[in-house]
Amino acid sequence: MSSNAQKTGFGATIWDYITTVDHKKIAILYLISGGFFFLVGGVEAMLIRIQLMKAGNDFLSAGTYNEVLTMHGTTMIFLAAMPILFAFMNSIAPLQIGARDVAFPFLNSLGFWLFFFGGVFLNLSWFLGGAPDAGWTNYASLALASEGHGIDFYSLGLTISGFGSLIAGINFLVTIINMRAPGMTYMRMPLFTWTTFVASALILLAFPPLTVGIFFMIFDRLFGANFFDVTMGGNTIIWEHFFWIFGHPEVYILILPAFGIFSEIFAIFSRKRLFGYTALVFATILIGFYGFMVWAHHMFTTGLGPTANAVFALATMIIAVPTGIKIFNWLLTIWGGSISFTVPMIYAVAFIPSFTAGGVTGVMQAIAPLDYQLHDSYFIVAHFHYVIVGGVVLAILAGTHLYWPKMFGTMLSEKLGKWTFWFFFIGFHLTFFIQHFLGLMGMPRRVYTFGADQGWDLFNAISTVGAFFMAVGVIILLVNVVMTTIKNERVGNDPWGDGRTLEWAIPSPPPFYNFAQTPLVRGLDPYWIEKMEGNKEGMIYAEPLGDIHMPNNSFIPFVMSLGMFVASFGALYHLDGDKAWALPVLIIGLGITFGSMLVRSWKDDLGFIVTKEELIADQERIQREAQAREGGKNGGLK
Amino acid sequence: MDLNKRYTPQTWPDHPETATLEGKNKFVGFWLLLAAETVTFASLFATYLALKDKGPSGMEFTAAGLFELPLVFAMTMILLTSSLTSVYAIYHMKNHNFKAMQAWLGITVLLGLTFLGLEIYEFNHYVHLGFGFTNSAFSSAFYVLVGTHGAHVVFGLSWFIALMLRNAKRGLNMYNAPKFYLAALYWHFIDVVWVFIFTVVYLMGVIG
Ligand code: HEM
Ligand SMILES: [Cu+2]
């Protein structure tokens, strides 16, 4: 286990994480950086709400408000929600299919570092002359007119992190196609793995149009092209199409893994097999498929004409059907189950009505004539927060509690978890429910203030109070994390006691090779099957104990991403004209990236072998630790 | 994987590109990447069609007036031929005939370079006519579509050259066989995209 020899010390740990290709550690990197950006986006949300707390407020200037609003949306979608979901996908999906790692461990690390540097680049705009201010949708007519470099930070930052997402998507797809353990057929895959799979397919097909659109934006703003410049024959609607051809699938990229997490939770804590597993799988696929055919419902008021509007209105309404199927399947999974209301389960139960409310307003907006009234009003803000916060964020919070022991080996406090839940849940409805009515009363979205005579004061004040409730909930979660980490009470394989899928059959956190022997899967919920048959070990195996092949750590992904980061500064300042260093920086940056790519393909990198003897020794160590833990517990009880 | 294992044409597997798990992963992953590339080019084509002949009022350039077929036809033929020669290379790869594979790859690279040279000549010609990148929406869309393809050609050629140099002493093994296979697959993809460019940009452009 040469390259895994445990060095200790802070520097060594940092180096280990920078060079790691282990999907479980990359998951932790995603969780930490996604969590950090979630806090940044959350602070931005609070600034928005404080500004809108009363009529005529001057807490933020109009220009700053636009920047904060834009960065809030962009950060939450690209740098918080997606990466945190990637954390769970990375950590859990390979375990659920009985794999020792992902298909491309090196690319996995590259994907993370691209996301990371892209996010950092985007946020550096705050310190380098101002953030983007054309909304997270960055419509070209606004973006081309925006002064300074904010929009360029947006374009270049999202390009880099977008490549990261694309790489991650391909990696998950190949992992799930090629690396399933014997017996793990497609129709035995846990729902979280299924949703990871479909979401990855959406990433694969949705990110290229965004990248193309952003490239046009970069060319127009920095290199004198005319894609969106109407006076030069360009057309700004092209941006809107590309953005939403990406944008609508993107919301499914977010919500499908959330559905997956909740599906796992419903089954585990109802102690029942998922009701209608097959229907859930096909609903997932259908949603993924329809997700690409509805983008123009964001453009009803653009003037595409009645035929296009009618077609897209109908297609949008159809999507509600598979989503409804899912809701009923979850309800029927709970029905008659032996339910335990743990923190993840409470989130899951709360998710159903919250998300359904967002779905209902979605169908309302799909009615094109009605959308002429609703568009660009606070009704829209209420809608997408009901689906995104009521769906995705609740799933992220639930998943954090559910998978924390698997990722870190300790349990978050249930008591504090419940406090977080109640603050967040009440705050969420307090903030956003009332925004429906603000919208119907005519309050437009993306305005930095409103007048005292407009009658929107009270509802806005209430909405702001709700936001503070959510903030308290998040702070309690942070306290929970710190306390849990300090206490560091280690847990066993199946800390919830009712795990059904393979990840619960191995230690928490799993050893770096995951499975000493590849498991043999005999049906849906394989671990549950073995439990029911009284298999003490929790698994049966598809292979005898033997040598294992593992990939080497690598510093190259970090360097490649760093190169892109450097090059972006060159591209950004290139057109200022007075900065001679810009072009060399662009070239050096790209040189670093392509140079390290070449190094990577030049050297043989065959990984290393964990021998059978080392495996046996390691398994014995794990057993000793488990016994010590059990012994300690019993000792405590006596 | 043991790099020192010596293969003969008899012990070499029929499909070396998918004979190992690494190879299989690369194979599936690469096809998925091509799916993403297809969407990318579809987006570029759609934009080009939307912006074709569009420019500031009074712009003199139109596809029908600007493009001429003889040169691009020659380029098309050269690139198609290079696809064929890369097929020969992979045929020899599958027969574990390293030398022949390298030779055919060399020819492929030469053809690709010729194509690239002609493309640069063509762009240069347009620029001298005043049809630069910043001239109009039409010119931007044209250069970005055809230029993205050109960048793919550059990348494909660099990939071939890097593989040939890197493995010149090593010969064929299970580690690099999938790489040769995928580089050739990439080359075919580039070729197919060019066929669409030839049709949509040049043929349909000249015909009107
Ligand atoms: C993961 C969680 C969240 C996501 C993904 C998210 C996403 C978004 C998006 C996409 C926008 C639109 C930005 C734009 O139009 O440019 C937005 C706007 C906004 N969000 Fe959030 N949000 C989240 C959480 C929150 C929270 C917790 C709050 C309140 C405390 C909040 C308050 C707002 C407000 C006030 C706006 C501005 C609406 C407007 O004036 O148009 N968001 N959010
Ligand atoms: Cu949509």
Side-chain angles (χ1 to χ4, degrees):
Chain A
M1 260 181 274
S2 49
S3 70
N4 200 55
Q6 291 292 314
K7 282 183 250 160
T8 41
F10 189 65
T13 312
I14 298 280
W15 177 251
D16 183 38
Y17 272 87
I18 287 182
T19 58
T20 189
V21 294
D22 180 339
H23 70 102
K24 300 177 289 298
K25 287 184 178 162
I26 292 175
I28 292 175
L29 289 174
Y30 269 119
L31 190 67
I32 293 174
S33 19
F36 171 74
F37 284 123
F38 182 75
L39 296 181
V40 173
V43 169
E44 284 154 359
M46 297 311 294
L47 297 180
I48 294 174
R49 275 326 313 170
I50 293 173
Q51 165 63 20
L52 295 179
M53 167 173 82
K54 59 175 197 229
N57 201 1
D58 60 358
F59 176 69
L60 299 177
S61 71
T64 313
Y65 182 89
N66 286 348
E67 293 176 340
V68 173
L69 172 76
T70 302
M71 286 299 279
H72 163 69
T74 313
T75 303
M76 283 299 195
I77 298 272
F78 292 99
L79 308 181
M82 267 180 89
I84 297 178
L85 291 172
F86 279 3
F88 298 135
M89 293 175 172
N90 247 310
S91 157
I92 303 302
L95 302 181
Q96 287 194 327
I97 59 173
R100 292 220 169 90
D101 207 322
V102 290
F104 305 112
F106 177 91
L107 289 185
N108 202 10
S109 159
L110 180 62
F112 169 76
W113 289 110
L114 285 173
F115 142 68
F116 180 81
F117 279 111
V120 170
F121 186 79
L122 177 57
N123 274 281
L124 282 180
S125 61
W126 285 118
F127 310 103
L128 298 172
D133 57 358
W136 83 285
T137 50
N138 202 47
Y139 274 18
S141 29
L142 288 174
L144 287 188
S146 168
E147 315 235 317
H149 279 306
I151 303 297
D152 307 321
F153 276 104
Y154 173 98
S155 315
L156 292 161
L158 288 191
T159 304
I160 305 178
S161 71
F163 282 137
S165 309
L166 185 68
I167 288 174
I170 293 182
N171 198 0
F172 290 132
L173 283 171
V174 180
T175 304
I176 294 172
I177 293 172
N178 275 355
M179 314 267 287
R180 283 167 291 127
M184 179 57 81
T185 58
Y186 280 105
M187 290 314 280
R188 284 175 181 175
M189 282 188 338
L191 245 256
F192 181 64
T193 300
W194 256 114
T195 51
T196 299
F197 187 67
V198 176
S200 303
L202 294 184
I203 290 175
L204 180 75
L205 302 176
F207 267 77
L210 177 70
T211 309
V212 168
I214 290 184
F215 261 97
F216 292 166
M217 182 67 71
I218 295 176
F219 286 139
D220 265 20
R221 282 186 53 104
L222 299 177
F223 298 98
N226 309 299
F227 288 99
F228 307 126
D229 185 347
V230 181
T231 59
M232 298 297 280
N235 183 342
T236 68
I237 306 299
I238 291 177
W239 169 271
E240 292 188 26
H241 278 298
F242 281 139
F243 187 85
W244 288 116
I245 288 175
F246 151 79
H248 191 83
E250 169 69 12
V251 306
Y252 288 105
I253 293 169
L254 295 176
I255 201 65
L256 287 178
F259 286 173
I261 291 173
F262 285 130
S263 302
E264 302 290 318
I265 291 174
F266 283 125
I268 293 176
F269 297 107
S270 306
R271 300 195 186 86
K272 255 179 80 184
R273 194 190 139 128
L274 266 177
F275 184 90
Y277 170 84
T278 321
L280 279 167
V281 169
F282 280 99
T284 306
I285 299 171
L286 266 183
I287 292 177
F289 181 70
Y290 283 131
F292 278 102
M293 307 207 284
V294 298
W295 79 87
H297 64 214
H298 296 274
M299 302 166 64
F300 282 147
T301 58
T302 303
L304 300 178
T307 316
N309 278 5
V311 170
F312 280 99
L314 266 177
T316 304
M317 292 174 197
I318 288 177
I319 283 211
V321 176
T323 313
I325 291 178
K326 291 195 157 211
I327 300 276
F328 284 109
N329 279 318
W330 289 321
L331 289 176
L332 290 168
T333 304
I334 310 177
W335 187 267
S338 129
I339 306 167
S340 54
F341 276 105
T342 58
V343 170
M345 186 63 169
I346 298 177
Y347 277 111
V349 171
F351 147 81
I352 291 187
S354 312
F355 184 81
T356 307
V360 169
T361 51
V363 177
M364 290 169 69
Q365 289 157 203
I367 304 166
L370 180 57
D371 191 58
Y372 271 72
Q373 299 298 314
L374 304 176
H375 184 67
D376 260 348
S377 77
Y378 254 79
F379 193 87
I380 305 295
V381 179
H383 155 72
F384 67 68
H385 282 95
Y386 260 81
V387 278
I388 288 181
V389 182
V392 182
V393 178
L394 289 189
I396 283 174
L397 294 172
T400 304
H401 284 270
L402 177 70
Y403 291 127
W404 193 270
K406 198 42 71 185
M407 292 176 78
F408 297 98
T410 62
M411 285 282 248
L412 287 174
S413 150
E414 285 280 291
K415 192 161 159 232
L416 288 179
K418 284 180 187 165
W419 280 104
T420 298
F421 169 79
W422 284 111
F423 270 103
F424 196 87
F425 186 68
I426 293 173
F428 159 61
H429 284 286
L430 207 53
T431 306
F432 294 113
F433 188 69
I434 214 155
Q435 291 185 0
H436 291 109
F437 300 100
L438 279 173
L440 295 176
M441 288 155 71
M443 179 164 164
R445 74 188 270 215
R446 296 177 174 170
V447 289
Y448 83 104
T449 193
F450 51 93
D453 52 347
Q454 286 175 294
W456 303 332
D457 302 54
L458 177 65
F459 283 8
N460 269 302
I462 295 175
S463 188
T464 300
V465 171
F468 277 99
F469 270 73
M470 278 191 274
V472 172
V474 173
I475 290 171
I476 298 177
L477 176 63
L478 291 179
V479 172
N480 196 350
V481 167
V482 172
M483 282 177 47
T484 306
T485 311
I486 292 175
K487 268 201 209 141
N488 197 19
E489 283 169 12
R490 311 307 293 177
V491 295
N493 296 2
D494 185 14
W496 296 105
D498 294 308
R500 311 175 70 82
T501 41
L502 286 176
E503 75 270 32
W504 305 112
I506 52 176
S508 316
F512 69 96
Y513 47 82
N514 295 353
F515 298 89
Q517 288 164 273
T518 300
L520 180 69
V521 176
R522 296 197 291 161
L524 185 64
D525 295 340
Y527 182 42
W528 187 259
I529 293 179
E530 301 302 331
K531 274 191 206 169
M532 290 302 107
E533 296 193 357
N535 179 348
K536 279 266 169 330
E537 228 175 304
M539 276 190 284
I540 53 174
Y541 304 108
E543 59 176 17
L545 202 61
D547 295 357
I548 296 180
H549 173 230
M550 295 301 291
N552 285 330
N553 283 4
S554 173
F555 186 42
I556 295 179
F558 183 88
V559 180
M560 278 178 77
S561 314
L562 186 69
M564 297 279 278
F565 180 74
V566 171
S568 299
F569 282 103
L572 188 113
Y573 288 112
H574 161 69
L575 221 80
D576 283 6
D578 58 342
K579 300 196 174 68
W581 49 267
L583 200 61
V585 166
L586 174 60
I587 293 170
I588 293 173
L590 290 179
I592 296 177
T593 300
F594 285 105
S596 34
M597 213 163 144
L598 196 64
V599 172
R600 162 73 184 170
S601 48
W602 212 270
K603 292 193 313 193
D604 288 311
D605 184 0
L606 298 177
F608 64 100
I609 299 285
V610 188
T611 63
K612 189 172 163 186
E613 290 67 41
E614 287 168 330
L615 265 186
I616 293 174
D618 199 53
Q619 289 289 309
E620 278 167 358
R621 174 188 62 82
I622 290 171
Q623 234 141 50
R624 272 197 310 278
E625 279 173 15
Q627 271 155 10
R629 207 166 40 235
E630 293 306 313
K633 244 189 229 152
N634 295 342
L637 279 178
K638 267 175 218 157
Chain B
M1 204 183 325
D2 182 8
L3 282 188
N4 296 320
K5 180 159 181 206
R6 286 282 151 244
Y7 288 92
T8 65
Q10 282 71 39
T11 58
W12 187 243
D14 284 346
H15 291 285
E17 68 277 8
T18 50
T20 60
L21 179 61
E22 285 85 353
K24 259 190 220 124
N25 287 345
K26 285 204 172 92
F27 183 82
V28 176
F30 202 79
W31 274 104
L32 294 172
L33 179 72
L34 291 187
E37 290 261 39
T38 306
V39 181
T40 306
F41 276 105
S43 309
L44 293 176
F45 274 109
T47 309
Y48 174 78
L49 288 176
L51 297 181
K52 184 181 163 199
D53 296 344
K54 300 269 174 21
S57 54
M59 181 186 73
E60 63 207 277
F61 298 108
T62 59
L66 190 65
F67 301 139
E68 284 164 34
L69 285 184
L71 180 70
V72 270
F73 183 73
M75 289 164 70
T76 308
M77 283 303 135
I78 291 170
L79 205 61
L80 284 179
T81 313
S82 78
S83 226
L84 182 70
T85 54
S86 76
V87 171
Y88 286 146
I90 295 310
Y91 169 81
H92 289 298
M93 187 277 277
K94 289 196 174 172
N95 288 335
H96 201 262
N97 184 345
F98 182 65
K99 285 226 174 69
M101 181 193 76
Q102 292 278 81
W104 281 111
L105 283 184
I107 297 174
T108 308
V109 168
L110 289 181
L111 288 169
L113 285 174
T114 317
F115 171 88
L116 210 57
L118 291 178
E119 180 150 86
I120 292 170
Y121 169 81
E122 188 207 352
F123 281 10
N124 190 38
H125 174 68
Y126 296 146
V127 171
H128 277 281
L129 293 178
F131 188 70
F133 182 62
T134 58
N135 170 270
S136 58
F138 174 37
S139 72
S140 303
F142 168 78
Y143 283 113
V144 169
L145 170 59
V146 183
T148 305
H149 175 268
H152 278 68
V153 172
V154 172
F155 188 82
L157 289 176
S158 318
W159 193 1
F160 275 142
I161 295 172
L163 279 177
M164 288 166 65
L165 292 181
R166 176 191 187 274
N167 296 307
K169 293 233 169 57
R170 290 181 168 94
L172 268 176
N173 56 38
M174 290 311 242
Y175 185 70
N176 57 31
K179 300 189 180 193
F180 281 109
Y181 181 89
L182 294 181
L185 187 60
Y186 187 70
W187 196 250
H188 292 316
F189 174 77
I190 294 173
D191 213 34
V192 173
V193 172
W194 179 260
V195 171
F196 278 93
I197 291 183
F198 179 69
T199 315
V200 173
V201 176
Y202 295 101
L203 266 185
M204 284 164 57
V206 169
I207 292 167

